[in-house]
Amino acid sequence: MMGRFFGGVHPDYNKDLSRGKPIETMPVPGRLVVYLSQNLGAPSKAVVKKGDAVLKGQVIAESGGFVSTPVHAPVSGVVAAIDTFPHPVGTDLPAIVIEPDGNDRWADGCDVERDVDALSSAEIRDLVHDGGLVGMGGATFPTHVKLSPPPEKPIDVLVLNGAECEPYLSADHRMMVEHAEEILDGAALFARVIEVGRVIVGIEKNKPDAIAAMRERAAGREGFEVAALDVVYPQGAEKQLIFAVTGRRVPAGGLPMDVGVLVQNVATCRAAREAVRFNRPLIERVLTVTGRAIAEPKNLLVRVGTPFEDIVAFCGGMSGETGKIISGGPMMGVSQYSLAAAVTKGTSGIVLLRRDEVAQFVSDACIRCGRCVEACPMRLDPSTLSILVERMRFDDAGETGVNDCMECGCCAYVCPSRRPLVQHFRRAKAELRAKARKAG
């Protein structure tokens, strides 16, 4: 059953800049900054010290809890420092700096093929954890946790997220065109773990070559299907994608497993194949470097920990006057004040905009036009929520559903008063979390 979710917007997608560019492998940089915070949940704990020699794929930080993942050395070399460094989220966070030795040598046991048919479901799930897998669409939720639904929440559909609805980004698009078979191999492993017989790949219609490639490879797999979706932002949001491909509505405050669905990004599926079949942990990823302020837009395969400044240099540097640098897409990404941050497991792209493409403005009072209400795919009332936050009425904002906001930015995109709606909702959530912690 195909559905069309409520709300959404149609921004300029600007994907022509990079979607025709095949994935290119970037050389290993001269220094890698590997953060301990690579996932949603507890940060990892370093198990190496300055001066240690490390091999590619070696665990350098262990999980900090159940909702956490290990971190692996993306290259062989020497630990040059363990300190805080600028993180793409906008603050300084602990990281392990590795200087490559030029050998790029795997640790013992890595890069060795396994007989995946002999593995049990529990063994596959453990290998997903050991490989450090997280959601690579940007959420970075630990994959092994998603693969561990409670018994009272049975899953009967696995949905692969190939929508990539964020403007400018094309990394997942190229992955599906060039690595369709590997993505579906990884999806089959996930399907075995959660014991589902139906797998649906959701792809927006503006990626016809990706749809064709995935359909060709899925044709011989029982229970697999590919759904061509309307082009509307945020088609790739979990709840909206689930409704679009199954017709099921995830309730307010609920999770996909409440309606029997598990969603995985297509890049995460390919990473699962690498980790489970070949014992290659998540140490590299494909991202898009694009925008009219970069000399040559590219889709790149880079090592986790590669500094943004090295990536921009590899793409020929900036062209003209740069007005804004964004980690991720322009709707949900994070603006960067410099190129000092480095790639994480969740970095889907780096967007560089020219100064004449960036609007400078001062927000005004809400004029009650209702456009934000029409655009909100979660059926919230952003106008009222925003006013509650301005009046410091955070409890009322909570009761009005602010925690259901997924910060997609649709409301701010259509607001004629240019109100900082997403920032308001992030503050309200932070205030409510702080209050909950204080209450114990």
Side-chain angles (χ1 to χ4, degrees):
M1 176 181 177
M2 299 289 292
R4 166 70 169 89
F5 63 86
F6 177 86
V9 295
H10 297 276
D12 292 333
Y13 283 93
N14 289 297
K15 290 179 181 284
D16 289 343
L17 295 169
S18 62
R19 64 179 162 196
K21 302 288 185 69
I23 298 169
E24 185 177 345
T25 301
M26 180 179 164
V28 175
R31 187 185 75 135
L32 295 99
V33 180
V34 187
Y35 302 105
L36 299 182
S37 295
Q38 296 274 353
N39 57 260
L40 189 66
S44 306
K45 300 176 182 176
V47 294
V48 294
K49 62 182 183 303
K50 182 179 178 180
D52 283 355
V54 296
L55 295 173
K56 184 165 69 169
Q58 175 183 332
V59 173
I60 56 175
E62 61 187 14
S63 299
F66 177 62
V67 187
S68 183
T69 59
V71 177
H72 305 77
V75 67
S76 62
V78 176
V79 176
I82 301 178
D83 207 337
T84 58
F85 293 88
H87 190 284
V89 298
T91 187
D92 288 3
L93 291 174
I96 299 170
V97 178
I98 299 176
E99 292 181 350
D101 58 12
N103 298 319
D104 208 22
R105 187 158 66 91
W106 283 101
D108 289 344
C110 290
D111 196 32
V112 176
E113 186 168 4
R114 294 190 181 97
D115 178 8
V116 295
D117 294 334
L119 297 173
S120 68
S121 296
E123 287 171 330
I124 294 172
R125 184 168 50 239
D126 289 345
L127 290 170
V128 166
H129 166 268
D130 295 345
L133 266 64
V134 301
M136 297 175 72
T140 69
F141 193 76
T143 305
H144 68 279
V145 179
K146 269 193 168 184
L147 294 174
S148 308
E152 66 272 19
K153 301 285 186 182
I155 306 295
D156 63 356
V157 179
L158 170 63
V159 174
L160 305 195
N161 191 347
E164 199 172 48
C165 59
E166 266 277 4
Y168 286 92
L169 303 185
S170 57
D172 287 352
H173 182 169
R174 294 308 311 179
M175 287 275 289
M176 291 186 284
V177 170
E178 300 179 36
H179 299 286
E181 187 75 26
E182 298 159 33
I183 291 169
L184 296 176
D185 279 351
L189 293 170
F190 288 151
R192 280 175 58 190
V193 173
I194 54 176
E195 299 179 344
V196 303
R198 188 183 182 199
V199 179
I200 309 173
V201 188
I203 308 172
E204 284 192 331
K205 293 176 182 174
N206 59 359
K207 305 172 186 64
D209 49 351
I211 293 171
M214 295 293 282
R215 279 182 171 163
E216 179 184 353
R217 297 298 182 175
R221 295 173 183 263
E222 184 177 356
F224 281 63
E225 57 190 284
V226 177
L229 308 175
D230 291 341
V231 181
V232 56
Y233 179 86
Q235 186 68 268
E238 270 194 343
K239 294 180 179 180
Q240 284 63 39
L241 179 63
I242 290 169
F243 180 70
V245 300
T246 70
R248 302 178 187 179
R249 293 186 187 277
V250 179
L255 297 170
M257 63 178 158
D258 293 326
V259 294
V261 178
L262 176 71
V263 180
Q264 294 285 358
N265 176 267
V266 291
T268 310
C269 292
R270 181 170 184 258
R273 175 186 184 270
E274 295 294 295
V276 176
R277 179 178 289 276
F278 297 105
N279 197 19
R280 297 173 188 151
L282 181 50
I283 60 170
E284 60 186 9
R285 66 157 297 141
V286 176
L287 55 78
T288 304
V289 187
T290 186
R292 294 181 178 81
I294 188 78
E296 185 179 0
K298 293 175 181 282
N299 294 296
L300 294 176
L301 176 65
V302 305
R303 302 289 173 93
V304 170
T306 302
F308 284 8
E309 58 185 350
D310 290 78
I311 293 172
V312 169
F314 184 71
C315 293
M318 300 184 197
S319 61
E321 194 172 7
T322 302
K324 196 170 191 177
I325 302 168
I326 305 167
S327 174
M331 296 298 285
M332 294 189 73
V334 179
S335 295
Q336 305 293 297
Y337 60 84
S338 74
L339 291 172
V343 170
T344 71
K345 296 175 182 179
T347 305
S348 54
I350 304 172
V351 179
L352 295 95
L353 304 178
R354 292 189 317 231
R355 185 170 294 278
D356 61 2
E357 296 176 299
V358 179
Q360 300 287 329
F361 55 84
V362 176
S363 64
D364 293 322
C366 176
I367 59 173
R368 313 275 186 175
C369 66
R371 294 181 192 177
C372 58
V373 178
E374 295 174 351
C376 179
M378 296 304 294
R379 296 178 181 268
L380 299 174
D381 182 348
S383 170
T384 298
L385 283 170
S386 177
I387 291 169
L388 289 172
V389 173
E390 285 181 322
R391 295 176 182 176
M392 311 285 277
R393 293 169 58 184
F394 302 116
D395 288 339
D396 291 337
E399 293 175 3
T400 312
V402 72
N403 282 319
D404 285 327
C405 171
M406 58 182 175
E407 302 172 14
C408 65
C410 287
C411 54
Y413 181 79
V414 300
C415 178
S417 295
R418 297 181 180 274
R419 291 171 60 74
L421 300 170
V422 176
Q423 288 78 8
H424 280 176
F425 306 150
R426 286 175 179 163
R427 183 186 176 189
K429 292 180 191 178
E431 294 283 353
L432 292 170
R433 286 195 299 270
K435 183 178 179 180
R437 284 195 298 270
K438 189 175 181 179

